[in-house]
Amino acid sequence: MKKTTIYISVLLLVVTSACNDEYLERYPLDQIIDAQFWSTSTDLELYANQFYIDLRDPQVNWRKDDKSDNNAPGDRNSYVWGEYVIPATGGGWGKDDWLPIRRCNYALARIAEMEKDALVLRYESEIRFFKSFYYQKMIERFGDVPWYEVDLQTDSEGLVKSRDSRKVVFDNMLMDLNFAIENLPEDSGENRLTKYVALAFKAEASLFEGTFRKYHGLGDHEVILAEAAEAAEEVINSGKFSLYTTGNPEQDYFDLFVQYNLTGNPEAIFFQRFIEGIRMHNNVRSLGEPHTGYTKDFVQSYLSKDGLPIALSSLYQGDENFEDEFVDRDPRMKQSIYVPDRPYRIYSDGSVDYRAMPEFDNNYVTTSYYITKGYSPYEVDRLQNQTTIDVFTYRYGKLLVTYAEAKAELGEATQEVLDKSINLLRDRVGMPHLNVNVDFVDPNWPDWEVPVSPLINEIRRERRVETAGEGTRWEDLVRWKAGRLLENPLTYVGAVDPETGEYRVIYPGNTRTWDDKLYLYPIPVQELSLNPQLTQNPGWE
C-alpha cells in the first residue's frame, strides 16, 4: 500500500523508544514524547494524518441536506422546525469539538522550534490548512468564536477567553491558508493536500464569509469576495482541472458520482479514496432506503431543456403524472432523481428490478423523489458497509459555480466569466447557455429577504441544481440570509399522490415558521457557566 493509507490508520499515537535500558527511564509507549518527536518531516507527516478523515464523511453528504429546503425527511428536522433546545453541553462547542484545533496548535508550537526545509514547510502547511478547516466549521455554526494561537492547558487563561469577532478569526484563517497555498506542492501522488486543494477551500470559505457579511449587513464583504474569486480563478487558470465528460449528456453527470476510483479524474481537486477490505462506506445502501426525498420546491427549480423555467417554457408537461414532470427538463434532473426507466437493483445474476413511481414510504422515500445522485444499482455496492465508490471532497464543477457567484456578487460576472464557469456545466448536459443579461423573469424565483439581480437568481439556481445531494444547501441558505424560504409549503411536500390528486404533504397539520436566531447555533448552557466571558448568540438568551 502507498501512503493513501493515511485514511485508514494514524500511527502518531504510538511512538516507541529504546534510548535507555533502564525500565523506569523508558518513555511511555502510548503517547507522543516531545523529546523524541518533532525532529523530522516524517514526524509531521504522521501527525497530520489524523486530520484527513475529517474532511468529509461520505455517509452524511446527502443527509445534511435534510436540514434545508431540498429534502423532506420522514422525521422532521428539529432545528429548521424551531424545536431545537439549547443543550447543556456539547452542541458543537464541547471539548471534542475544540480538540482538533488544540491539536493543530500543539503541533504548530513545536514546529516553530524546528529547522524549516521544504518538507517541514509542506506538513506545517497541511496543519495550518486543517486549523482553518476546523475554524470554518466553528464560524459557520456560531459566528464569533475565540481565536487560539496556542494549545490550551487545564490552567491556561485562554480557557475563559471571550469570543473574537468572526472578522478577526477569518483574517487569521486567511493568513494560514495563504501560507499553505505558498508551501504546498502543486501535485501529490499520495492523495495529500496540494496548493489547489487549499485554493478550492479558500474560495469556498471566502464565498461563505463574504456573502454572509453582505446579506447580514456586517460590511467589509467586498475584499473577502475578491479573495474567493481570485482563489477560484487561480485554480481555473492552472489548467490542471476540467469537467468530467464522455460526450453523453444524458449519463455523464450520473456517472461522475458512482466511480470506484477517482484517481486521474479531471474534476477531482481532492477526493476520499475507498478500497475493498481496507476502507469502505455505506452510502449506496443508505441511499437505497434514505427515509427522505427531494422536495417539490427543489424539483420545480430545474429548468426545461430550452433554458426557461417551467413557468415560462412550452416544453413543461406539468406534474399531474409523475413521469411527465421529467420530460424535456435539464438532464441533471433524471440523473439526480429516480425515474422508473432507470434500474433500481441489478443483481449479481444479471436480473434487474425497477420501482414503480410515485412511491410514498417513509422507510424509503417520503416525497417520491428518490435521491439518485451517488446511488449505484449494483447489488455489490448495496452490501452493508461494503461500498468502495470514491467520494469528492473538492470538485471542480462546484468550484466553477463558486467562481461565477463570487464574480456576480462583485458585479464582475461578464459573459466571459459565465462561459468559463456556468456554461461549461451546462455544456456537459447539453443545456442552453446562461447569458449575462437574463432575458426572462421567473415568477417562481425565490422570495429572497434581500432581493438580488436576475443573474444572481440564475447562478443560485445553478448552484442548487449542480450541487444537490452534496450537503451544502443549509450553508447557502444561511449565508444568503434566506431562511425564510423554509416557510414555503412546497419545501415539505412531494409529488402528486394519485389517490388524492394533490401534492403529498409530509407533515400533515404542520406549518413551518422561520426565526432569525437559527442562523447561528446557541452556545451550550454549561459553557456559558464555565466561561463568564462568553455571550450567547442573539435570540437564544
Side-chain angles (χ1 to χ4, degrees):
M1 292 297 297
K2 291 186 177 181
K3 293 178 184 175
T4 51
T5 53
I6 59 175
Y7 296 119
I8 317 308
S9 61
V10 179
L11 303 178
L12 62 92
L13 295 179
V14 181
V15 180
T16 60
S17 168
C19 64
N20 195 306
D21 291 334
E22 294 297 325
Y23 178 78
L24 294 178
E25 294 185 16
R26 288 183 179 180
Y27 293 114
L29 300 180
D30 62 348
Q31 57 187 278
I32 292 174
I33 302 301
D34 284 352
Q36 294 194 304
F37 209 71
W38 312 111
S39 59
T40 70
S41 61
T42 301
D43 295 338
L44 305 188
E45 180 184 14
L46 291 173
Y47 191 90
N49 287 351
Q50 66 183 301
F51 302 122
Y52 274 84
I53 201 167
D54 292 334
L55 282 174
R56 189 171 293 276
D57 181 349
Q59 298 187 59
V60 300
N61 280 4
W62 53 272
R63 179 62 73 185
K64 283 182 65 180
D65 281 344
D66 282 353
K67 190 175 69 172
S68 78
D69 52 352
N70 279 7
N71 293 5
D75 295 324
R76 291 189 305 177
N77 181 278
S78 64
Y79 195 80
V80 296
W81 279 88
E83 299 165 349
Y84 185 81
V85 177
I86 303 175
T89 187
W93 195 284
K95 176 182 176 181
D96 288 345
D97 301 297
W98 285 100
L99 182 58
I101 291 174
R102 182 187 183 278
R103 286 175 171 167
C104 290
N105 284 333
Y106 179 89
L108 293 173
R110 285 145 184 82
I111 293 170
E113 304 300 321
M114 295 176 64
E115 292 186 14
K116 303 291 182 73
D117 60 20
L119 282 176
V120 170
L121 290 171
R122 172 182 180 174
Y123 297 118
E124 178 181 357
S125 296
E126 289 193 10
I127 293 167
R128 290 186 182 276
F129 170 95
F130 283 112
K131 181 178 178 180
S132 296
F133 174 80
Y134 294 121
Y135 258 114
Q136 179 65 19
K137 288 184 176 182
M138 287 291 185
I139 286 179
E140 289 177 358
R141 191 173 180 91
F142 297 108
D144 297 345
V145 294
W147 174 263
Y148 294 111
E149 292 283 358
V150 298
D151 52 304
L152 298 180
Q153 308 300 322
T154 56
D155 58 350
S156 297
E157 291 184 5
L159 290 173
V160 290
K161 188 179 188 299
S162 62
R163 300 162 74 183
D164 289 302
S165 161
R166 64 186 299 142
K167 295 182 179 180
V168 169
V169 175
F170 197 78
D171 283 348
N172 281 297
M173 285 171 52
L174 282 181
M175 285 192 287
D176 280 340
L177 283 174
N178 289 336
F179 182 97
I181 291 165
E182 180 70 24
N183 293 288
L184 285 171
E186 292 199 2
D187 300 289
S188 171
E190 301 163 351
N191 205 29
R192 297 189 75 93
L193 296 180
T194 67
K195 169 183 179 178
Y196 298 106
V197 179
L199 283 166
F201 172 65
K202 180 182 176 180
E204 286 189 8
S206 297
L207 180 67
F208 181 95
E209 182 64 17
T211 50
F212 188 97
R213 292 185 190 184
K214 178 177 181 178
Y215 290 103
H216 290 262
L218 303 183
D220 299 326
H221 54 274
E222 293 93 345
V223 64
I224 304 301
L225 289 169
E227 293 276 6
E230 290 166 9
E233 194 161 36
E234 188 169 350
V235 178
I236 294 169
N237 290 343
S238 73
K240 290 180 173 292
F241 307 96
S242 61
L243 296 182
Y244 167 82
T245 178
T246 68
N248 186 350
E250 304 297 330
Q251 189 66 25
D252 284 342
Y253 183 75
F254 175 86
D255 287 346
L256 176 64
F257 299 99
V258 289
Q259 299 191 18
Y260 296 116
N261 191 343
L262 286 171
T263 303
N265 188 296
E267 197 156 340
I269 299 174
F270 195 75
F271 64 95
Q272 293 196 58
R273 187 82 178 91
F274 293 90
I275 303 171
E276 184 177 359
I278 297 177
R279 187 189 184 210
M280 298 176 285
H281 60 86
N282 204 45
N283 223 19
V284 169
R285 185 181 178 90
S286 297
L287 279 168
E289 302 175 18
H291 308 278
T292 190
Y294 287 130
T295 66
K296 172 61 68 173
D297 180 72
F298 170 69
V299 170
Q300 289 185 343
S301 67
Y302 283 95
L303 297 171
S304 293
K305 268 195 170 181
D306 56 9
L308 294 174
I310 59 175
L312 303 176
S313 175
S314 61
L315 298 178
Y316 182 55
Q317 303 295 306
D319 60 8
E320 184 175 350
N321 180 287
F322 181 83
E323 293 184 52
D324 286 347
E325 195 166 6
F326 294 81
V327 174
D328 289 330
R329 301 287 291 278
D330 183 330
R332 284 172 291 190
M333 185 176 178
K334 289 183 71 173
Q335 296 175 68
S336 300
I337 306 170
Y338 181 76
V339 288
D341 61 357
R342 179 181 290 278
Y344 178 75
R345 298 282 287 273
I346 301 176
Y347 295 92
S348 56
D349 63 3
S351 59
V352 179
D353 275 352
Y354 298 85
R355 297 192 81 90
M357 306 301 288
E359 173 186 340
F360 304 98
D361 183 338
N362 279 6
N363 289 323
Y364 287 89
V365 59
T366 55
T367 62
S368 193
Y369 300 120
Y370 264 107
I371 301 171
T372 294
K373 179 177 176 178
Y375 172 75
S376 168
Y378 291 101
E379 187 66 13
V380 65
D381 295 324
R382 286 181 60 95
L383 298 177
Q384 189 168 9
N385 295 313
Q386 298 293 303
T387 305
T388 58
I389 291 171
D390 284 354
V391 177
F392 286 104
T393 305
Y394 296 101
R395 179 169 72 88
Y396 189 63
K398 184 179 179 183
L399 179 122
L400 294 182
V401 184
T402 293
Y403 172 65
E405 184 182 344
K407 295 294 276 186
E409 292 288 0
L410 291 165
E412 300 173 359
T414 63
Q415 192 61 48
E416 180 184 5
V417 167
L418 297 180
D419 288 344
K420 67 179 185 179
S421 56
I422 300 295
N423 290 333
L424 293 179
L425 296 168
R426 292 194 173 189
D427 285 343
R428 168 160 58 191
V429 293
M431 282 290 289
H433 281 192
L434 174 63
N435 295 317
V436 68
N437 296 313
V438 178
D439 56 1
F440 60 80
V441 175
D442 184 1
N444 294 326
W445 273 332
D447 182 19
W448 307 109
E449 182 169 338
V450 183
V452 297
S453 68
L455 179 60
I456 290 179
N457 258 305
E458 287 307 300
I459 290 174
R460 289 183 179 183
R461 183 202 302 274
E462 194 75 21
R463 185 180 190 88
R464 188 180 193 185
V465 166
E466 178 66 26
T467 66
E470 296 183 43
T472 57
R473 180 64 177 176
W474 169 252
E475 285 79 7
D476 289 342
L477 296 178
V478 167
R479 63 191 180 86
W480 295 331
K481 199 179 182 184
R484 197 171 66 185
L485 297 185
L486 294 172
E487 295 182 345
N488 180 354
L490 294 181
T491 64
Y492 45 94
V493 303
V496 172
D497 186 339
E499 293 185 3
T500 65
E502 304 289 340
Y503 294 148
R504 173 59 72 98
V505 178
I506 310 306
Y507 318 112
N510 293 278
T511 57
R512 187 153 56 189
T513 303
W514 176 256
D515 189 328
D516 278 356
K517 73 178 184 180
L518 299 177
Y519 287 123
L520 297 173
Y521 273 75
I523 296 175
V525 174
Q526 182 174 308
E527 303 304 328
L528 293 171
S529 176
L530 291 172
N531 182 1
Q533 299 298 317
L534 293 177
T535 55
Q536 186 57 278
N537 273 326
W540 294 99
E541 294 87 354

